[in-house]
Amino acid sequence: HLAESGGGMAQAGGSLRLSCAASGRPYSSHVLGWCRQGPGNKREYVAAIRWGGGRTYYADSVQGRFTISKDSTKNTVDLQMNSLKPEDTSVYYCAVGTDLWYCQQPLRGFVWGQGTQVSVSS
């Protein structure tokens, strides 16, 4: 089970931080990350981190602006979002999978949380 927190409202150019807390310790092979879904849009991959080793991955749209990190002692994954743009407005979800398709194919039995709203005004 993953629980999202953080988010809120920001002006363009501002920053927000999201946090995702796992109820148990992920496996080293797991990829944990963030997905987002705007009104009328499909859920898309934003940023991810492999639990074992900590390699990070970013969608082109957020590369250089967002930073994903993990805390292995707390089983959390954070997303620091800087230089926010209005097009970043969306509901953000945390998910877990075995590869970068985790937003479309999360782990079997994974239940999506409610997500957290991020709204960026121009």
Side-chain angles (χ1 to χ4, degrees), residues 43-89:
R43 191 169 292 163
E44 64 176 4
Y45 145 72
V46 176
I49 188 166
R50 189 167 296 279
W51 195 256
R55 181 173 180 178
T56 57
Y57 308 86
Y58 297 95
D60 290 344
S61 58
V62 306
Q63 180 75 47
R65 300 188 297 120
F66 291 11
T67 302
I68 191 169
S69 61
K70 68 179 179 79
D71 186 330
S72 299
T73 64
K74 299 179 181 178
N75 293 335
T76 58
V77 173
D78 288 354
L79 184 68
Q80 178 66 42
M81 305 184 293
N82 298 330
S83 301
L84 283 163
K85 302 177 180 180
E87 49 264 44
D88 294 318
T89 295

